[in-house]
Amino acid sequence: MALPPEDLRDKIAPSILSADFARLGEEIRAIEKAGADMIHFDVMDGHFVPNLSIGIPVLESVRKVTRLPLDAHLMISEPARYVEAFVKAGANSISVHCEVCPDIPAMAKRIHDLGARASIGINPETDADRVLPFADQLDMILVMSVHPGFGGQEFIPAALDKLRYIRRELKRRGLSIDVEIDGGVKLDNIAEVKAAGANVFVSGSGIFGKPDYSKIVGEMRELIAQTPAKI
Ligand code: DX5
Ligand code: ZN
């Protein structure tokens, strides 16, 4: 599902995992006002990852307070059981991990049939070649740059080589899909991940840990706008 080239723009996707959940509505309005392009929504089941987070009822509530696209990142062992509920609750794109997705084409079709964008996530230890053969059926590939499960971890530098490899392979095959980077992305490394080929930038603690969301989102946007992809 290659996007028309004009849609393949850089997008900043704050991860609300690092937001103040007691004030989630306000946090989302603030991040929208700050210029976020989409909201990254991390779902953890305590099984695929060693942590629990938020799920369908919270996504439904978030849907009511923003018009921004909701980017649901399912870090769960049995995604097939839940994709429909997440799309019905208002998710615009669904990322399912390849490590728990035995049939990527069937999953992509299922997500598309439900009316959402289909994405496949890749953990740091997983080879990108598990997903690349199916890239023509996807809207996005999500590259994890931390071991999933927790916000606030250090960026794993090997993710840069994986990004370059993925973007080169996509280019070679004439595919212009989104490549999302997730984990440890902050103002001090966002230019490097842009240069390596990412165009969707998830940042949790790098944004919600700051006092002024407009300032940090603006600074990130400026850096990614100034940095060409070097692939
Ligand atoms: C990690 C999640 C990330 C996380 C990113 O398992 O998938 O989306 O919230 O948070 P930071 O930017 O703090 O690493
Ligand atoms: Zn995530």
Short mmCIF file of all heavy atoms in Angstrom, two decimals, residues 156-207:
data_model
loop_
_atom_site.label_atom_id
_atom_site.label_comp_id
_atom_site.label_asym_id
_atom_site.label_seq_id
_atom_site.Cartn_x
_atom_site.Cartn_y
_atom_site.Cartn_z
N ILE A 156 19.03 2.19 20.98
CA ILE A 156 20.01 1.16 20.59
C ILE A 156 20.57 1.54 19.21
O ILE A 156 19.84 1.52 18.21
CB ILE A 156 19.34 -0.24 20.53
CG1 ILE A 156 18.79 -0.63 21.91
CG2 ILE A 156 20.32 -1.30 20.02
CD1 ILE A 156 17.95 -1.90 21.93
N PRO A 157 21.88 1.88 19.12
CA PRO A 157 22.42 2.42 17.87
C PRO A 157 22.29 1.49 16.66
O PRO A 157 22.21 1.97 15.52
CB PRO A 157 23.90 2.68 18.19
CG PRO A 157 23.99 2.70 19.68
CD PRO A 157 22.87 1.87 20.22
N ALA A 158 22.24 0.16 16.88
CA ALA A 158 22.12 -0.77 15.75
C ALA A 158 20.84 -0.53 14.95
O ALA A 158 20.73 -0.94 13.78
CB ALA A 158 22.17 -2.21 16.24
N ALA A 159 19.87 0.15 15.56
CA ALA A 159 18.62 0.45 14.84
C ALA A 159 18.89 1.34 13.63
O ALA A 159 18.12 1.31 12.65
CB ALA A 159 17.62 1.13 15.78
N LEU A 160 19.98 2.11 13.66
CA LEU A 160 20.28 3.00 12.53
C LEU A 160 20.62 2.19 11.28
O LEU A 160 20.15 2.50 10.18
CB LEU A 160 21.44 3.94 12.88
CG LEU A 160 21.15 4.95 14.00
CD1 LEU A 160 22.42 5.67 14.40
CD2 LEU A 160 20.08 5.95 13.54
N ASP A 161 21.42 1.13 11.45
CA ASP A 161 21.75 0.27 10.31
C ASP A 161 20.50 -0.43 9.78
O ASP A 161 20.33 -0.59 8.57
CB ASP A 161 22.77 -0.81 10.72
CG ASP A 161 24.17 -0.22 10.83
OD1 ASP A 161 24.42 0.79 10.15
OD2 ASP A 161 24.98 -0.76 11.60
N LYS A 162 19.63 -0.82 10.71
CA LYS A 162 18.39 -1.49 10.29
C LYS A 162 17.51 -0.52 9.49
O LYS A 162 16.95 -0.88 8.46
CB LYS A 162 17.66 -2.01 11.52
CG LYS A 162 16.58 -3.01 11.19
CD LYS A 162 15.84 -3.43 12.43
CE LYS A 162 16.35 -4.77 12.95
NZ LYS A 162 15.63 -5.19 14.17
N LEU A 163 17.44 0.71 9.94
CA LEU A 163 16.66 1.72 9.22
C LEU A 163 17.20 1.92 7.80
O LEU A 163 16.45 1.94 6.83
CB LEU A 163 16.72 3.07 9.94
CG LEU A 163 15.82 3.30 11.14
CD1 LEU A 163 16.14 4.66 11.75
CD2 LEU A 163 14.35 3.23 10.75
N ARG A 164 18.54 2.07 7.73
CA ARG A 164 19.16 2.31 6.41
C ARG A 164 18.88 1.12 5.48
O ARG A 164 18.55 1.30 4.32
CB ARG A 164 20.67 2.51 6.55
CG ARG A 164 21.05 3.92 6.99
CD ARG A 164 22.54 4.14 6.95
NE ARG A 164 23.18 3.61 8.12
CZ ARG A 164 23.43 4.31 9.23
NH1 ARG A 164 23.13 5.60 9.29
NH2 ARG A 164 23.99 3.76 10.28
N TYR A 165 19.01 -0.08 6.01
CA TYR A 165 18.78 -1.28 5.22
C TYR A 165 17.32 -1.32 4.72
O TYR A 165 17.06 -1.54 3.53
CB TYR A 165 19.11 -2.52 6.06
CG TYR A 165 18.80 -3.82 5.37
CD1 TYR A 165 19.54 -4.22 4.25
CD2 TYR A 165 17.77 -4.65 5.82
CE1 TYR A 165 19.25 -5.42 3.60
CE2 TYR A 165 17.48 -5.84 5.18
CZ TYR A 165 18.22 -6.22 4.07
OH TYR A 165 17.92 -7.40 3.42
N ILE A 166 16.40 -1.04 5.62
CA ILE A 166 14.98 -1.08 5.25
C ILE A 166 14.67 -0.02 4.19
O ILE A 166 14.06 -0.31 3.16
CB ILE A 166 14.07 -0.90 6.50
CG1 ILE A 166 14.16 -2.15 7.38
CG2 ILE A 166 12.63 -0.60 6.11
CD1 ILE A 166 13.48 -2.01 8.74
N ARG A 167 15.14 1.20 4.42
CA ARG A 167 14.80 2.27 3.46
C ARG A 167 15.43 2.00 2.10
O ARG A 167 14.81 2.22 1.07
CB ARG A 167 15.21 3.63 4.03
CG ARG A 167 14.69 4.79 3.24
CD ARG A 167 13.18 4.80 3.05
NE ARG A 167 12.44 5.48 4.08
CZ ARG A 167 11.12 5.49 4.17
NH1 ARG A 167 10.38 4.80 3.30
NH2 ARG A 167 10.50 6.13 5.13
N ARG A 168 16.66 1.45 2.11
CA ARG A 168 17.32 1.12 0.83
C ARG A 168 16.55 0.04 0.09
O ARG A 168 16.33 0.14 -1.12
CB ARG A 168 18.74 0.63 1.07
CG ARG A 168 19.74 1.71 0.95
CD ARG A 168 21.16 1.15 0.96
NE ARG A 168 21.98 2.07 1.73
CZ ARG A 168 22.70 1.74 2.78
NH1 ARG A 168 22.76 0.50 3.18
NH2 ARG A 168 23.37 2.66 3.43
N GLU A 169 16.15 -0.99 0.82
CA GLU A 169 15.41 -2.09 0.20
C GLU A 169 14.06 -1.61 -0.35
O GLU A 169 13.63 -2.01 -1.43
CB GLU A 169 15.18 -3.22 1.22
CG GLU A 169 16.38 -4.11 1.42
CD GLU A 169 16.84 -4.79 0.12
OE1 GLU A 169 16.03 -5.47 -0.51
OE2 GLU A 169 18.01 -4.60 -0.24
N LEU A 170 13.40 -0.74 0.41
CA LEU A 170 12.10 -0.21 -0.05
C LEU A 170 12.30 0.59 -1.34
O LEU A 170 11.55 0.44 -2.31
CB LEU A 170 11.46 0.67 1.02
CG LEU A 170 10.97 -0.04 2.29
CD1 LEU A 170 10.51 0.99 3.32
CD2 LEU A 170 9.82 -1.00 1.98
N LYS A 171 13.34 1.41 -1.33
CA LYS A 171 13.63 2.27 -2.47
C LYS A 171 13.93 1.41 -3.70
O LYS A 171 13.44 1.67 -4.80
CB LYS A 171 14.84 3.14 -2.14
CG LYS A 171 14.81 4.48 -2.83
CD LYS A 171 15.88 5.38 -2.28
CE LYS A 171 15.98 6.62 -3.14
NZ LYS A 171 17.08 7.47 -2.74
N ARG A 172 14.75 0.39 -3.48
CA ARG A 172 15.15 -0.50 -4.57
C ARG A 172 13.91 -1.14 -5.22
O ARG A 172 13.88 -1.38 -6.42
CB ARG A 172 16.06 -1.59 -3.99
CG ARG A 172 16.81 -2.42 -5.02
CD ARG A 172 17.79 -3.38 -4.35
NE ARG A 172 17.16 -4.38 -3.49
CZ ARG A 172 16.53 -5.47 -3.93
NH1 ARG A 172 16.44 -5.71 -5.20
NH2 ARG A 172 15.99 -6.31 -3.07
N ARG A 173 12.89 -1.36 -4.39
CA ARG A 173 11.68 -1.98 -4.92
C ARG A 173 10.59 -0.96 -5.26
O ARG A 173 9.44 -1.33 -5.50
CB ARG A 173 11.16 -3.02 -3.92
CG ARG A 173 12.15 -4.19 -3.85
CD ARG A 173 12.08 -4.92 -2.56
NE ARG A 173 10.73 -5.39 -2.30
CZ ARG A 173 10.37 -6.02 -1.20
NH1 ARG A 173 11.25 -6.25 -0.25
NH2 ARG A 173 9.13 -6.41 -1.05
N GLY A 174 10.93 0.31 -5.23
CA GLY A 174 9.99 1.35 -5.64
C GLY A 174 8.85 1.56 -4.67
O GLY A 174 7.77 2.02 -5.04
N LEU A 175 9.08 1.24 -3.38
CA LEU A 175 8.01 1.38 -2.38
C LEU A 175 8.27 2.61 -1.50
O LEU A 175 9.38 2.81 -1.01
CB LEU A 175 7.95 0.13 -1.49
CG LEU A 175 7.58 -1.17 -2.20
CD1 LEU A 175 7.76 -2.36 -1.27
CD2 LEU A 175 6.14 -1.11 -2.71
N SER A 176 7.22 3.40 -1.30
CA SER A 176 7.38 4.61 -0.49
C SER A 176 6.47 4.56 0.73
O SER A 176 5.60 5.39 0.89
CB SER A 176 7.09 5.85 -1.34
OG SER A 176 5.76 5.78 -1.81
N ILE A 177 6.66 3.55 1.56
CA ILE A 177 5.82 3.44 2.75
C ILE A 177 6.51 4.13 3.94
O ILE A 177 7.70 4.41 3.91
CB ILE A 177 5.49 1.96 3.09
CG1 ILE A 177 6.74 1.18 3.51
CG2 ILE A 177 4.79 1.29 1.91
CD1 ILE A 177 6.42 -0.22 4.06
N ASP A 178 5.71 4.40 4.98
CA ASP A 178 6.27 5.01 6.18
C ASP A 178 7.21 4.05 6.89
O ASP A 178 6.95 2.83 6.94
CB ASP A 178 5.13 5.37 7.16
CG ASP A 178 4.37 6.62 6.77
OD1 ASP A 178 4.97 7.53 6.18
OD2 ASP A 178 3.16 6.70 7.07
N VAL A 179 8.28 4.61 7.45
CA VAL A 179 9.15 3.83 8.34
C VAL A 179 9.21 4.58 9.67
O VAL A 179 9.64 5.73 9.73
CB VAL A 179 10.57 3.63 7.76
CG1 VAL A 179 11.44 2.85 8.74
CG2 VAL A 179 10.49 2.89 6.41
N GLU A 180 8.69 3.92 10.70
CA GLU A 180 8.57 4.54 12.02
C GLU A 180 9.67 4.04 12.94
O GLU A 180 9.96 2.86 12.98
CB GLU A 180 7.20 4.18 12.61
CG GLU A 180 6.91 4.77 13.98
CD GLU A 180 5.46 4.48 14.42
OE1 GLU A 180 5.09 3.30 14.58
OE2 GLU A 180 4.70 5.44 14.61
N ILE A 181 10.25 4.96 13.69
CA ILE A 181 11.28 4.59 14.67
C ILE A 181 10.68 4.82 16.06
O ILE A 181 10.04 5.84 16.30
CB ILE A 181 12.59 5.40 14.45
CG1 ILE A 181 13.69 4.95 15.39
CG2 ILE A 181 12.36 6.89 14.57
CD1 ILE A 181 14.39 3.70 14.97
N ASP A 182 10.90 3.86 16.96
CA ASP A 182 10.23 3.91 18.27
C ASP A 182 11.17 3.45 19.37
O ASP A 182 11.55 2.28 19.43
CB ASP A 182 8.97 3.02 18.22
CG ASP A 182 8.18 3.07 19.51
OD1 ASP A 182 8.47 3.91 20.37
OD2 ASP A 182 7.24 2.26 19.64
N GLY A 183 11.50 4.37 20.26
CA GLY A 183 12.29 4.04 21.44
C GLY A 183 13.53 4.89 21.58
O GLY A 183 14.42 4.83 20.73
N GLY A 184 13.59 5.70 22.63
CA GLY A 184 14.79 6.49 22.91
C GLY A 184 15.04 7.61 21.93
O GLY A 184 16.17 8.10 21.84
N VAL A 185 14.01 8.03 21.18
CA VAL A 185 14.21 9.13 20.22
C VAL A 185 14.03 10.46 20.94
O VAL A 185 13.01 10.69 21.60
CB VAL A 185 13.24 9.01 19.02
CG1 VAL A 185 13.38 10.21 18.09
CG2 VAL A 185 13.47 7.70 18.27
N LYS A 186 15.04 11.30 20.82
CA LYS A 186 15.05 12.58 21.53
C LYS A 186 15.62 13.65 20.61
O LYS A 186 16.09 13.33 19.51
CB LYS A 186 15.93 12.46 22.77
CG LYS A 186 15.41 11.44 23.77
CD LYS A 186 16.11 11.58 25.10
CE LYS A 186 15.37 10.96 26.26
NZ LYS A 186 14.61 9.77 26.04
N LEU A 187 15.61 14.88 21.10
CA LEU A 187 16.12 15.98 20.29
C LEU A 187 17.57 15.73 19.83
O LEU A 187 17.94 16.07 18.72
CB LEU A 187 16.05 17.28 21.12
CG LEU A 187 16.29 18.56 20.36
CD1 LEU A 187 15.21 18.79 19.32
CD2 LEU A 187 16.33 19.75 21.33
N ASP A 188 18.37 15.08 20.69
CA ASP A 188 19.79 14.92 20.34
C ASP A 188 20.08 13.79 19.35
O ASP A 188 21.20 13.67 18.89
CB ASP A 188 20.66 14.78 21.60
CG ASP A 188 20.30 13.55 22.43
OD1 ASP A 188 19.49 12.71 21.95
OD2 ASP A 188 20.82 13.42 23.54
N ASN A 189 19.09 12.96 19.02
CA ASN A 189 19.38 11.92 18.00
C ASN A 189 18.36 11.89 16.86
O ASN A 189 18.45 11.07 15.96
CB ASN A 189 19.52 10.53 18.66
CG ASN A 189 18.25 10.09 19.37
OD1 ASN A 189 17.20 10.72 19.25
ND2 ASN A 189 18.34 9.00 20.11
N ILE A 190 17.40 12.79 16.88
CA ILE A 190 16.32 12.72 15.88
C ILE A 190 16.86 12.98 14.46
O ILE A 190 16.38 12.39 13.49
CB ILE A 190 15.13 13.66 16.27
CG1 ILE A 190 13.86 13.19 15.54
CG2 ILE A 190 15.43 15.13 15.99
CD1 ILE A 190 12.57 13.71 16.14
N ALA A 191 17.90 13.83 14.36
CA ALA A 191 18.45 14.11 13.04
C ALA A 191 19.12 12.86 12.46
O ALA A 191 18.98 12.55 11.27
CB ALA A 191 19.45 15.26 13.12
N GLU A 192 19.80 12.13 13.35
CA GLU A 192 20.48 10.90 12.93
C GLU A 192 19.49 9.84 12.43
O GLU A 192 19.75 9.15 11.45
CB GLU A 192 21.21 10.35 14.16
CG GLU A 192 22.61 9.91 13.93
CD GLU A 192 23.23 9.38 15.24
OE1 GLU A 192 22.74 9.73 16.34
OE2 GLU A 192 24.20 8.63 15.12
N VAL A 193 18.35 9.72 13.11
CA VAL A 193 17.37 8.72 12.67
C VAL A 193 16.68 9.16 11.38
O VAL A 193 16.34 8.34 10.54
CB VAL A 193 16.36 8.28 13.75
CG1 VAL A 193 17.04 7.57 14.88
CG2 VAL A 193 15.55 9.42 14.28
N LYS A 194 16.53 10.48 11.21
CA LYS A 194 15.99 10.99 9.94
C LYS A 194 16.97 10.66 8.81
O LYS A 194 16.58 10.14 7.75
CB LYS A 194 15.76 12.50 10.03
CG LYS A 194 15.55 13.22 8.70
CD LYS A 194 14.20 12.93 8.07
CE LYS A 194 14.07 13.42 6.63
NZ LYS A 194 13.87 14.84 6.48
N ALA A 195 18.25 10.92 9.06
CA ALA A 195 19.27 10.66 8.03
C ALA A 195 19.29 9.18 7.65
O ALA A 195 19.54 8.83 6.50
CB ALA A 195 20.64 11.10 8.53
N ALA A 196 19.01 8.31 8.62
CA ALA A 196 19.05 6.86 8.37
C ALA A 196 17.80 6.34 7.65
O ALA A 196 17.76 5.17 7.28
CB ALA A 196 19.26 6.11 9.68
N GLY A 197 16.79 7.20 7.48
CA GLY A 197 15.66 6.77 6.65
C GLY A 197 14.30 6.72 7.32
O GLY A 197 13.30 6.42 6.68
N ALA A 198 14.23 7.04 8.62
CA ALA A 198 12.91 7.06 9.28
C ALA A 198 12.16 8.33 8.85
O ALA A 198 12.77 9.36 8.60
CB ALA A 198 13.08 7.06 10.79
N ASN A 199 10.83 8.23 8.76
CA ASN A 199 10.04 9.44 8.52
C ASN A 199 8.89 9.60 9.51
O ASN A 199 8.18 10.61 9.47
CB ASN A 199 9.53 9.50 7.08
CG ASN A 199 8.37 8.58 6.84
OD1 ASN A 199 8.50 7.37 7.03
ND2 ASN A 199 7.22 9.11 6.45
N VAL A 200 8.72 8.62 10.42
CA VAL A 200 7.75 8.76 11.50
C VAL A 200 8.52 8.59 12.81
O VAL A 200 9.18 7.56 13.01
CB VAL A 200 6.61 7.72 11.41
CG1 VAL A 200 5.59 7.94 12.52
CG2 VAL A 200 5.91 7.79 10.04
N PHE A 201 8.45 9.61 13.66
CA PHE A 201 9.32 9.67 14.83
C PHE A 201 8.47 9.59 16.10
O PHE A 201 7.77 10.54 16.43
CB PHE A 201 10.11 10.99 14.82
CG PHE A 201 10.88 11.18 13.53
CD1 PHE A 201 10.27 11.79 12.42
CD2 PHE A 201 12.18 10.73 13.40
CE1 PHE A 201 10.94 11.95 11.22
CE2 PHE A 201 12.88 10.88 12.21
CZ PHE A 201 12.26 11.49 11.11
N VAL A 202 8.55 8.44 16.77
CA VAL A 202 7.85 8.30 18.06
C VAL A 202 8.77 8.85 19.14
O VAL A 202 9.97 8.58 19.12
CB VAL A 202 7.55 6.81 18.35
CG1 VAL A 202 6.94 6.65 19.75
CG2 VAL A 202 6.63 6.23 17.29
N SER A 203 8.22 9.62 20.04
CA SER A 203 9.02 10.07 21.19
C SER A 203 8.09 10.21 22.38
O SER A 203 7.06 10.88 22.30
CB SER A 203 9.71 11.40 20.87
OG SER A 203 10.51 11.79 21.97
N GLY A 204 8.44 9.52 23.46
CA GLY A 204 7.64 9.57 24.68
C GLY A 204 8.28 10.50 25.68
O GLY A 204 7.93 11.67 25.79
N SER A 205 9.30 9.97 26.40
CA SER A 205 9.95 10.79 27.43
C SER A 205 10.67 11.99 26.82
O SER A 205 10.85 13.01 27.50
CB SER A 205 10.93 9.93 28.23
OG SER A 205 11.79 9.21 27.37
N GLY A 206 11.05 11.90 25.55
CA GLY A 206 11.74 13.01 24.88
C GLY A 206 10.83 14.22 24.68
O GLY A 206 11.30 15.33 24.44
N ILE A 207 9.51 14.02 24.77
CA ILE A 207 8.56 15.13 24.61
C ILE A 207 7.83 15.39 25.94
O ILE A 207 7.83 16.50 26.46
CB ILE A 207 7.55 14.84 23.48
CG1 ILE A 207 8.27 14.83 22.12
CG2 ILE A 207 6.40 15.87 23.50
CD1 ILE A 207 7.39 14.50 20.92
#
